[in-house]
Amino acid sequence: MPSLLTRVKSKMSIFAHRKARGMLDGEYGSVFKGRSLDFDDLRAYIPGDEVRDIDWKASARHGSPLIRRYFAVRRQTVLLVTDTGRNMAASSLGGEEKKDVAVMALGVVGYLAQRHGDVVGLVCGDGTSTRSLPAKAGEAHLERLLREVNDATALTSPRSSIGEQLSYVARNFSQRMLLFVVADELAPDPGMERMLRRLRAQHEVLWLTVRDAQLAGSNAAGSNAAGSGSDAAGTHTAGTQGAATGPAVRYDVADGMLLPGRLAASEAIIRAYAAAQEQRDAAREAVLRRLGIAHVHAGSSHDVMPAVFTLLERHRRGK
């Protein structure tokens, strides 16, 4: 069985040259406020680095700015939190299954944590149950976490509900840690906002939203959605039926409701769909911004690396 972590590392190496990976490591290292640090070494200054980290004496001797790098003395805990309900088995905006985007994102953050000597755990589940795997070090352990997410997510899984997983974290984890939440296009309600406020008071929280495939319009997901193997393709989670005999009938994986292909191409449906999506996005952004939770989105696994870099940078700058 191919290693999921090997796939993650391969995509990381394709995306980022050595200097970019060093910047990504640096952004991760700044996540934990109050982390105990010891001096490690010096490296060349890169635009965007903190001026306070410049070693002016060494820079004068070298002839160009050098940055002091540090390593963590105290091991931190990173908790990966994700949805393995059926919504995550449908197609993402880029065409692959949303769980593939989630595994990539979880793998990148987990691998960064491992490189910094931190331990990584997992909380995942659906609307009916939540399970956790304890935080440990090592690539074999991280592979187990990624495999758990990948294997548990299917169109036959129970309904999705990331709120159940967040509630589980609030009840069972009191030690301060970094929560990295990966979910689909959540529309938060007041209860969810209260839950997130409670978690934000206790932990560092980062959030990545996996973009749904479009349900309506010319770019709507169709029967050839990449990687689905089951013709799951839509918004929140849609699939297709009957594409070979006429316009595809798309359906919402969450509740099984159908949207005939002719309706999906209707200008009125397209406008209504776009307006609803914009409203949902704005509500999610507003809640996360109020709570001071850094947030990005990714529509495919190719979006993950730049998204994670942006996420860590936003968290460091408090945006």
Side-chain angles (χ1 to χ4, degrees):
M1 185 178 296
S3 166
L4 294 173
L5 183 56
T6 298
R7 188 187 311 168
V8 168
K9 291 194 290 185
S10 175
K11 289 191 176 182
M12 288 180 71
S13 66
I14 291 172
F15 165 80
H17 52 72
R18 186 174 180 180
K19 182 180 290 188
R21 288 198 297 272
M23 293 173 66
L24 189 60
D25 274 322
E27 291 294 344
Y28 174 83
S30 69
V31 166
F32 288 99
K33 294 177 175 63
R35 179 193 286 266
S36 179
L37 302 173
D38 273 357
F39 176 75
D40 186 12
D41 61 5
L42 298 168
R43 66 161 171 82
Y45 173 84
I46 299 171
D49 284 335
E50 296 287 345
V51 174
R52 65 174 179 265
D53 289 336
I54 296 177
D55 188 318
W56 296 105
K57 290 184 178 179
S59 298
R61 291 193 299 269
H62 187 262
S64 61
L66 295 175
I67 291 291
R68 292 185 294 267
R69 294 204 297 183
Y70 300 88
F71 66 92
V73 176
R74 182 165 54 87
R75 176 176 287 183
Q76 305 287 352
T77 300
V78 175
L79 188 63
L80 309 176
V81 183
T82 194
D83 169 17
T84 56
R86 59 176 175 263
N87 286 12
M88 296 299 284
S91 290
S92 67
L93 185 62
E96 61 197 310
E97 289 186 36
K98 286 192 283 186
K99 73 173 181 179
D100 293 337
V101 184
V103 166
M104 179 66 183
L106 298 168
V108 168
V109 171
Y111 183 60
L112 288 172
Q114 298 279 2
R115 282 171 55 89
H116 281 254
D118 294 332
V119 293
V120 184
L122 172 69
V123 168
C124 65
D126 48 54
T128 63
S129 66
T130 298
R131 56 201 174 279
S132 65
L133 279 72
K136 297 180 182 178
E139 292 192 2
H141 175 67
L142 181 55
E143 173 69 24
R144 180 189 173 200
L145 303 187
L146 300 181
R147 184 63 59 186
E148 175 72 19
V149 173
N150 183 77
D151 294 349
T153 309
L155 290 174
T156 55
S157 299
R159 63 181 177 83
S160 292
S161 178
I162 191 65
E164 294 296 326
Q165 286 71 64
L166 295 173
S167 177
Y168 181 93
V169 173
R171 294 193 309 269
N172 293 281
F173 294 90
S174 58
Q175 173 193 346
R176 187 168 182 82
M177 58 183 65
L178 170 67
L179 307 183
F180 178 50
V181 183
V182 178
D184 70 346
E185 296 184 357
L186 170 75
D189 56 23
M192 173 67 74
E193 183 169 359
R194 289 192 295 271
M195 176 65 64
L196 290 173
R197 181 175 288 108
R198 176 182 172 185
L199 290 171
R200 180 66 182 87
Q202 181 67 29
H203 307 285
E204 302 288 341
V205 184
L206 305 177
W207 193 291
L208 185 143
T209 294
V210 180
R211 281 293 193 189
D212 293 330
Q214 290 188 1
L215 183 64
S218 59
N219 295 323
S223 60
N224 61 346
S228 71
S230 56
D231 292 333
T235 210
H236 222 66
T237 27
T240 60
Q241 296 177 346
T245 58
V249 176
R250 300 176 177 93
Y251 65 93
D252 190 319
V253 168
D255 56 21
M257 292 185 66
L258 301 178
L259 179 64
R262 290 185 180 85
L263 284 181
S266 160
E267 289 297 327
I269 295 294
I270 293 170
R271 287 194 299 270
Y273 174 79
Q277 184 177 43
E278 184 177 346
Q279 185 177 27
R280 185 172 64 242
D281 289 349
R284 182 173 58 254
E285 291 282 359
V287 167
L288 296 176
R289 189 180 302 112
R290 277 198 300 272
L291 298 176
I293 296 174
H295 169 244
V296 293
H297 54 77
S300 72
S301 59
H302 298 294
D303 297 338
V304 166
M305 283 290 287
V308 169
F309 184 89
T310 299
L311 183 64
L312 296 174
E313 184 180 39
R314 286 178 180 174
H315 181 79
R316 173 172 60 84
R317 295 181 176 181
K319 295 182 178 180

